[in-house]
Amino acid sequence: CRDDSAPLVEMVLGLMDHLGDDREHFDRNAFLDDAFGNQPQFSVLVAACEDALVGYALFHPCYEPAFSARGMYLCDLFVRSPARRAGVGRALIAAVARAAREDGRSFVWWVARGDDARAFYRTIAAVEQAATAHAITFATFENLAAEAR
């Protein structure tokens, strides 16, 4: 909820810093509107310890034609350093899996960056596949979209 927005935004920025992502395009208000506005674009679950937020999972619905199945894509998983190795990350992924199941979905998938993340995810995931992620953003996105007729 919006009441948790300040520490949530702090954790989102913390993950961006950890991954070396540029903060230039992050917009707090747009993020909060997309999370809690009239048309939420994703769901977010938070983990708390002693009334302080220590982690979050951000996810949204997806579809996999190879399985003819609806699922959830886990965009972000972050646990603050002091709370790591205490089961918080696993609990957050379990909560995402439960939310997916309750929504009639049958899988959760994600992309990992960094060896530490991969080692953790191997303890949970039934399937690990080598993949290369691609994205078109900003000017490249605009230029490519303009090509479509």
Side-chain angles (χ1 to χ4, degrees):
C1 67
R2 283 191 185 265
D3 294 343
D4 295 327
S5 66
L8 174 60
V9 167
E10 182 183 312
M11 288 188 294
V12 169
L13 293 171
L15 178 59
M16 291 171 64
D17 291 344
H18 177 76
L19 295 173
D21 291 342
D22 190 348
R23 290 183 175 201
E24 176 185 0
H25 300 286
F26 181 80
D27 181 315
R28 181 182 192 278
N29 291 328
F31 174 80
L32 294 175
D33 284 345
D34 287 343
F36 307 112
N38 293 334
Q39 294 182 312
Q41 298 299 305
F42 57 85
S43 297
V44 64
L45 298 173
V46 295
C49 183
E50 298 177 11
D51 296 326
L53 294 187
V54 296
Y56 78 96
L58 189 151
F59 57 99
H60 62 79
C62 63
Y63 188 82
E64 178 51 59
F67 302 115
S68 298
R70 299 179 319 135
M72 289 290 183
Y73 177 67
L74 177 63
C75 301
D76 285 0
L77 178 71
F78 181 76
V79 177
R80 292 182 193 266
S81 204
R84 291 184 187 149
R85 303 205 190 299
V88 175
R90 184 179 185 90
L92 283 165
I93 293 177
V96 171
R98 174 178 274 183
R101 185 181 65 202
E102 289 174 354
D103 194 39
R105 298 173 184 281
S106 61
F107 67 90
V108 175
W109 80 281
W110 60 87
V111 176
R113 292 169 47 194
D115 291 334
D116 56 338
R118 285 186 196 95
F120 165 68
Y121 289 133
R122 283 185 188 113
T123 69
I124 295 172
V127 176
E128 180 178 348
Q129 296 177 328
T132 302
H134 298 271
I136 53 172
T137 60
F138 310 113
T140 305
F141 171 81
E142 293 298 331
N143 293 337
L144 189 60
E147 289 180 25
R149 299 201 192 285

